[in-house]
Amino acid sequence: MALDSKVPQGPLKDKWTDYKNKINLVNPANKRHIDIIVVGTGLAGGSASATLAELGYNVKAFAYQDSPRRAHSIAAQGGINAAKNYQGDGDSTYRLFYDTVKGGDYRSREANVYRLAEVSANIIDQCVAQGVPFARDYGGLLDNRSFGGVLVSRTFYAKGQTGQQLLLGAYSAMNRQIARGKIEMFNRHEMLDVVVVDGKARGIIARNLVTGEIERHSAHAVVIASGGYGNVYFLSTNAMGSNVTAGWKIHKKGAYFANPCYTQIHPTCIPRSGDYQSKLTLMSESLRNDGRIWVPKNLDDVKLIREGKKRPTDLSEDERDYYLERRYPAFGNLVPRDVASRAAKERCDAGYGVNATGEAVYLDFAAAIVRYGTEQAKVKNIKNASDAKIKELGKAIVKAKYGNLFQMYEKIVDENPYETPMMIYPAVHYTMGGVWVDYNLMTTIPGCYAIGEANFSDHGANRLGASALMQGLADGYFVLPYTIGDYLADDIRTGKIPTDTPEFDEAEKSVKENINFFINNKGTKSVDSYHKKLGKIMWDKCGMSRNAEGLKEAIEEISELRKDFWKNVNVPGEANEFNEQLAKAGRVADFLELGELFAKDALVREESAGGHFREEHQTPEGEAKRLKEFQFVSAWEYKGEPKDAVLHKEALEYENIEVKERSYK
Amino acid sequence: MNLTLKIWRQKDASSKGQMVDYKVTEISEHMSFLEMMDVLNEQLVNSGEEPVAFDHDCREGICGMCSMYINGEAHGPDRGITTCQLHMRMFKDGDTITIEPFRAAAFPVVKDLVVDRSAFDRIQHAGGYISVNTSGNTQDANSIPIAKEAADTAMDAATCIGCGACVATCKNSSAMLFVGAKVSQYALLPQGQVEAADRVQNMVAQMDLEGFGNCTNTGACEVECPKGISLDNIARMNRELMKASI
């Protein structure tokens, strides 16, 4: 099947408006007869569910957690971008579009990104109307901060808990519709397959995670909003339950999977401490507004620090290497995430890592504390303030800005980051790749949509900070509700979709067979042991830098591991009960397939772009080297084993932006 | 360190539960409490036993899913944290640790340490929202200035993660800190004024219907709240309720 992105004709800035003017609409009376399934209740799924229900559709929403409020969007810290230009610093829709395309290393679709930038301002208005308590200045107006890869302040925030506040906003909008009966909420339910009838997505098979019951749910359209697949690495900043299963099941039924190798490794996470580690914790990018990143200049100092004979605070300014400021004077500590992560890896690989594992760099707030303290002393008219007083005043400001992050760090590491620099290291955080969708956010299965992190559409090869929240809410509040209506306009006479059909029988049967296999296998190795092995292969060979040899090994090793899994996996307990191991076995089975496709995609993409860094393709300075012949989206069609997947290319054309070398120097 | 764990095991909602003893060895002080539980579960799976069911997800203290009652305290002996943020450095070699689910009539046990907190969701359905549709043409976000102090206080209330530690801690199993936090967030913002009276009345009515107890001002909830939600929110909710009823 040829890929058709369905991007509307006309000038970039008019495409979305013209599109909305011309699409088919469903009248309110007819919406009452149309059902929509939404899988996932994070920012994308939650906002979509609420908005579709407000419009009058009957929504069935599914979450594997015990409440929609617990989806992992809740953990997003730093902020949400919007082209409001409240700071008068030259921001505009075009500039947000430009920054996003450039930040994504020219690997995203122009029309989608422009639409995202266009609706960004509406998101802030909507959230404020919902009662989201964004940070404000003393005049009562909204405050902004800066994020990486941009030269304006367009990030709105609610302390270090912006994701939480936005998700609770979407959750509150959902609650209003749940109360009206327009959303039927299925908590502790996991989608295990999509049901395709006459070529259209018409329902799902879900497992009740409390009783183990397998359920059939039908609808006129199915929306996948299940987030990213970062947990293929085992260790990531994702939640423990985050998984690719919904996206992978639709892939197996005909949805193409795009750019799986585009993964974001976030530069500022708390370094790992031992083999028992179950997850990694992010320290918001917003910290790079005020924190300076460095390692010692001399290897002798590194040695003494690792041995505990010297402390970072003992090193003078001359003895420190602020390597981001040195290498990228224009953007300094606020370079984009892929650039910052690779720079940290480069220093640590060269032996400058500052903790026992050699995988940590410093994020230092001492200068910011003095800067804020000096300013506060002036504001408070304190003459000749002592150093101690200045520090005290400065710490109060830093605490107000990042208090919860500092507390989180202190609880995990047992060190006080106000006094000694934080130690950080890159970790898997977000996946730009995902289910391929057209301009309508529809996958290659008619009637099946993918929104938020689950799709591939807007971030190209690297996502800028504070843009994930923007995309999730843009898709759910302002894009999907229009595009899905255009499709559903043909369904007003269809009537309720029956679930007693051969298609549902078949899907349920295969789900049940899979579950019975796990329960009856009685193997010797735990699910987690496979997940950890997969994660290690992924991190070592498909991590921050990749090469052909390693990727070929990864493909072999993952394929072997998958065979071993299907032979020897041990899942205790019963099918018809609350059984976390069983749920996890199904998720790991899908990761074991995705991981191989991931490596294959990375092998085929013989260039470096954004988060995908091929060692064979770098400039003499070690920067990513993009190649014109790879200016396309890789969309993979499922054909059985991952090695048999067929590549389809969607050419990317840039008519409104000049494709240049991406420089932050 | 080596530890003895006394853990509540209960097959499902209708079965009777009991405390069961387990031993874990070579636990690092840098592990989180849930990583210690992972070690135990891996041990149980490998010896053919059923692992202990517990709720957890983000493991960074924000999703509100983890819910253990450890040595008689919700989220364990540290302050200002959830169970997933509790670290083993709070314990010492040879300790016996008692681990129970959050207990309240309104939070029935699902299995082992997992409880059903859907009562919290139902309270939110009753009024935990501002009635505004998504349209793309609401007024500009800066058209109503909000005093920084009001915005900050609303934010402090809004940081509630809905974990239920307040209920588990309270001798009356009261949910007033949880409900107070949501009522306060909206009561402090201009956007929340229009529906303020209905909201507080409906949410409190649902809270009572769910079987949560009343507040007797012991303040234990505030002490155990991982997000430091202040008792002021309960006072504000009572004020709002009073205002709504006259």
Side-chain angles (χ1 to χ4, degrees):
Chain A
M1 182 170 65
L3 284 175
D4 180 2
S5 64
K6 303 209 174 97
V7 172
Q9 297 300 312
L12 184 67
K13 65 177 178 44
D14 300 330
K15 282 182 196 288
W16 180 233
T17 307
D18 288 351
Y19 170 93
K20 285 191 290 183
N21 286 340
K22 287 175 190 155
I23 51 169
N24 294 314
L25 299 178
V26 181
N27 92 38
N30 283 329
K31 288 192 183 108
R32 287 198 285 271
H33 303 299
I34 292 180
D35 306 325
I36 302 173
I37 283 173
V38 180
V39 179
T41 60
L43 286 187
S47 59
S49 298
T51 308
L52 293 169
E54 286 164 11
L55 288 170
Y57 297 108
N58 307 309
V59 176
K60 286 179 160 189
F62 293 78
Y64 73 78
Q65 298 92 344
D66 70 335
S67 165
R69 66 179 294 156
R70 311 217 193 275
H72 199 54
S73 303
I74 199 132
Q77 297 169 352
I80 177 166
N81 289 329
K84 277 286 198 186
N85 195 29
Y86 282 160
Q87 305 303 324
D89 54 2
D91 201 5
S92 64
T93 300
Y94 183 82
R95 205 173 276 277
L96 174 53
F97 156 75
Y98 174 89
D99 288 342
T100 308
V101 173
K102 177 189 173 193
D105 219 350
Y106 307 93
R107 288 292 174 267
S108 49
R109 197 188 282 150
E110 262 195 347
N112 284 54
V113 179
Y114 195 86
R115 176 177 64 190
L116 174 68
E118 223 178 324
V119 302
S120 66
N122 294 143
I123 298 173
I124 303 304
D125 299 341
Q126 181 64 30
C127 293
V128 166
Q130 284 172 348
V132 169
F134 284 119
R136 289 178 182 267
D137 60 23
Y138 285 98
L141 303 179
L142 291 158
D143 195 19
N144 291 114
R145 53 170 58 142
S146 294
F147 262 57
V150 303
L151 297 169
V152 294
S153 278
R154 64 160 73 100
T155 306
F156 294 79
Y157 66 99
K159 283 196 175 165
Q161 288 131 288
T162 317
Q164 181 198 27
Q165 294 311 312
L166 296 175
L167 183 63
L168 293 181
Y171 166 72
S172 73
M174 278 184 83
N175 286 333
R176 178 167 160 244
Q177 299 306 321
I178 294 172
R180 286 178 66 212
K182 291 305 291 182
I183 296 178
E184 195 180 350
M185 185 64 221
F186 294 87
N187 294 316
R188 294 197 197 267
H189 274 67
E190 180 156 36
M191 165 184 159
L192 292 179
D193 210 351
V194 64
V195 180
V196 180
V197 181
D198 297 334
K200 292 177 175 174
R202 291 300 199 188
I204 64 168
I205 304 294
R207 181 167 178 269
N208 179 326
L209 294 171
V210 175
T211 63
E213 194 183 336
I214 303 298
E215 301 170 353
R216 300 176 182 200
H217 296 276
S218 71
H220 298 86
V222 174
V223 180
I224 303 298
S226 55
Y229 50 85
N231 271 351
V232 68
Y233 287 85
F234 184 73
L235 283 181
S236 80
T237 64
N238 285 5
M240 300 300 287
S242 301
N243 66 78
V244 75
T245 290
W248 198 252
K249 296 303 188 199
I250 62 167
H251 173 55
K252 291 174 99 162
K253 287 276 176 85
Y256 293 1
F257 207 94
N259 301 332
C261 80
Y262 289 160
T263 308
Q264 179 157 84
I265 317 269
H266 195 292
T268 54
C269 299
I270 299 178
R272 48 183 299 188
S273 69
D275 290 336
Y276 47 78
Q277 192 117 13
S278 60
K279 80 152 271 157
L280 297 166
T281 302
L282 177 75
M283 287 285 107
S284 167
E285 177 162 321
S286 60
L287 294 172
R288 288 197 274 143
N289 273 278
D290 285 312
R292 299 176 72 194
I293 295 179
W294 62 276
V295 291
K297 255 184 203 158
N298 305 315
L299 284 169
D300 295 342
D301 285 332
V302 173
K303 190 161 173 281
L304 291 169
I305 285 174
R306 285 192 196 173
E307 287 166 357
K309 290 176 186 158
K310 229 176 185 180
R311 298 186 48 76
T313 42
D314 297 335
L315 266 58
S316 69
E317 286 294 303
D318 293 349
E319 294 168 323
R320 302 174 177 199
D321 175 16
Y322 294 95
Y323 58 86
L324 288 177
E325 296 170 27
R326 168 169 61 79
R327 287 178 65 179
Y328 307 100
F331 284 71
N333 291 294
L334 278 174
V335 291
R337 292 173 176 179
D338 54 336
V339 177
S341 289
R342 272 199 294 282
K345 182 180 186 319
E346 188 275 330
R347 282 294 79 193
C348 290
D349 287 352
Y352 291 88
V354 293
N355 70 353
T357 64
E359 292 192 335
V361 300
Y362 289 125
L363 178 61
D364 196 334
F365 294 87
I369 287 172
V370 172
R371 176 163 48 85
Y372 284 125
T374 311
E375 188 183 295
Q376 282 302 302
K378 284 206 182 95
V379 170
K380 294 188 181 340
N381 205 13
I382 303 170
K383 300 270 189 301
N384 305 321
S386 66
D387 286 356
K389 184 68 190 171
I390 284 174
K391 272 193 185 168
E392 181 197 316
L393 292 167
K395 275 181 197 165
I397 298 292
V398 168
K399 188 173 181 188
K401 282 179 175 262
Y402 314 111
N404 71 312
L405 300 170
F406 277 48
Q407 186 242 16
M408 207 192 268
Y409 180 88
E410 189 169 355
K411 290 293 178 189
I412 292 174
V413 182
D414 203 20
E415 274 184 11
N416 178 355
Y418 293 98
E419 300 297 337
T420 180
M422 281 185 182
M423 282 190 288
I424 51 153
Y425 197 68
V428 175
H429 178 59
Y430 184 90
T431 52
M432 285 73 69
V435 180
W436 186 89
V437 290
D438 61 17
Y439 188 75
N440 301 318
L441 305 180
M442 198 196 286
T443 69
T444 46
I445 303 174
C448 181
Y449 293 78
I451 57 174
E453 191 180 352
N455 77 25
F456 89 106
S457 71
D458 296 346
H459 306 296
N462 174 60
R463 179 175 66 72
L464 291 180
S467 284
L469 303 186
M470 172 174 67
Q471 186 220 339
L473 291 181
D475 285 0
Y477 282 137
F478 297 114
V479 180
L480 182 78
Y482 288 96
T483 64
I484 204 168
D486 187 38
Y487 170 81
L488 290 169
D490 291 339
D491 263 323
I492 53 173
R493 285 181 205 87
T494 307
K496 191 113 189 128
I497 308 290
T499 57
D500 55 349
T501 58
E503 292 85 356
F504 274 92
D505 292 345
E506 180 53 37
E508 182 181 308
K509 186 166 156 267
S510 84
V511 164
K512 282 186 168 163
E513 279 170 5
N514 216 18
I515 287 171
N516 290 336
F517 166 81
F518 286 131
I519 293 296
N520 297 324
N521 193 47
K522 311 282 181 221
T524 50
K525 297 179 204 162
S526 70
V527 175
D528 257 3
S529 70
Y530 287 100
H531 196 181
K532 283 183 179 171
K533 276 184 194 146
L534 173 64
K536 184 159 169 41
I537 299 170
M538 295 300 297
W539 183 246
D540 289 346
K541 292 172 179 169
C542 312
M544 263 186 287
S545 69
R546 303 145 181 191
N547 61 55
E549 198 192 341
L551 290 167
K552 283 178 192 155
E553 286 167 13
I555 290 172
E556 282 307 310
E557 289 169 24
I558 295 169
S559 165
E560 284 303 310
L561 187 65
R562 192 169 63 243
K563 279 187 204 130
D564 192 81
F565 173 86
W566 284 102
K567 221 166 123 190
N568 296 318
V569 69
N570 174 24
V571 178
E574 305 294 328
N576 295 321
E577 63 173 359
F578 186 104
N579 187 338
E580 200 186 2
Q581 293 287 317
L582 175 61
K584 192 151 189 214
R587 296 170 192 162
V588 171
D590 293 331
F591 279 136
L592 281 163
E593 292 182 13
L594 164 80
E596 188 180 331
L597 184 68
F598 186 130
K600 179 175 168 151
D601 184 51
L603 182 64
V604 168
R605 187 162 285 280
E606 292 190 57
E607 66 159 349
S608 295
H612 170 64
F613 189 76
R614 281 287 296 268
E615 287 161 13
E616 303 94 323
H617 301 281
Q618 51 182 311
T619 64
E621 300 85 46
E623 304 292 342
K625 199 167 155 198
R626 225 175 335 98
L627 297 174
K628 174 86 175 117
E629 58 263 42
F630 284 93
Q631 193 169 302
F632 60 79
V633 176
S634 300
W636 296 94
E637 182 182 1
Y638 182 80
K639 289 282 183 189
E641 293 283 303
K643 68 174 164 45
D644 301 324
V646 172
L647 176 64
H648 299 264
K649 295 177 186 176
E650 180 199 338
L652 292 168
E653 276 146 37
Y654 295 96
E655 290 165 357
N656 299 278
I657 190 166
E658 188 195 346
V659 179
K660 290 192 287 204
E661 193 189 334
R662 183 169 163 249
S663 170
Y664 293 96
K665 291 194 174 186
Chain B
M1 58 182 110
N2 300 326
L3 303 162
T4 304
L5 308 173
K6 289 183 175 299
I7 302 179
W8 182 259
R9 301 300 308 258
Q10 181 174 336
K11 190 167 169 44
D12 52 39
S14 55
S15 305
K16 210 170 160 234
Q18 58 173 344
M19 301 299 287
V20 179
D21 288 7
Y22 298 95
K23 299 250 184 247
V24 285
T25 56
E26 290 172 47
I27 297 298
S28 158
E29 60 169 14
H30 298 299
M31 276 184 192
S32 71
F33 194 84
L34 295 186
E35 283 164 355
M36 183 276 293
M37 292 296 291
D38 292 342
V39 170
L40 170 70
N41 275 347
E42 188 78 0
Q43 202 172 294
L44 291 173
V45 171
N46 288 333
S47 62
E49 288 176 68
E50 221 182 302
V52 179
F54 60 90
D55 265 332
H56 64 115
D57 204 28
C58 78
R59 293 210 179 184
E60 51 188 273
I62 193 76
C63 76
M65 195 121 172
C66 60
S67 55
M68 292 177 194
Y69 206 66
I70 301 162
N71 284 347
E73 285 183 86
H75 299 304
D78 206 351
R79 288 286 170 265
I81 54 153
T82 55
T83 298
C84 64
Q85 294 175 297
L86 178 64
H87 276 69
M88 295 312 292
R89 64 180 79 94
M90 295 299 293
F91 301 92
K92 54 184 193 301
D93 189 34
D95 274 1
T96 297
I97 306 174
T98 308
I99 310 168
E100 294 170 89
F102 279 4
R103 293 198 190 274
F107 288 171
V109 172
V110 173
K111 181 177 183 175
D112 296 340
L113 305 172
V114 177
V115 297
D116 177 357
R117 287 167 286 187
S118 52
F120 269 13
D121 279 337
R122 289 188 293 273
I123 295 172
Q124 300 286 357
H125 301 162
Y129 50 79
I130 288 170
S131 298
V132 54
N133 279 357
T134 315
S135 63
N137 47 29
T138 45
Q139 62 188 337
D140 184 87
N142 257 350
S143 60
I144 308 176
I146 300 174
K148 183 172 169 53
E149 202 191 329
D152 286 352
T153 314
M155 175 65 197
D156 288 343
T159 56
C160 167
I161 58 174
C163 66
C166 46
V167 173
T169 299
C170 177
K171 62 180 176 138
N172 309 318
S173 298
S174 169
M176 285 180 72
L177 195 66
F178 169 79
V179 183
K182 193 43 86 180
V183 167
S184 284
Q185 177 194 340
Y186 293 136
L188 286 157
L189 297 172
Q191 288 84 359
Q193 299 307 319
V194 179
E195 298 164 284
D198 282 347
R199 176 180 305 113
V200 66
Q201 286 176 323
N202 291 340
M203 289 180 81
V204 168
Q206 187 65 33
M207 174 182 86
D208 292 343
L209 197 66
E210 296 288 349
F212 292 104
N214 216 327
C215 173
T216 47
N217 292 309
T218 66
C221 53
E222 182 188 61
V223 175
E224 295 291 352
C225 173
K227 297 295 155 188
I229 304 290
S230 158
L231 281 180
D232 295 353
N233 293 298
I234 296 183
R236 196 176 290 107
M237 177 175 77
N238 285 333
R239 260 199 322 270
E240 288 291 315
L241 190 62
M242 186 66 79
K243 215 160 69 180
S245 57
I246 47 176

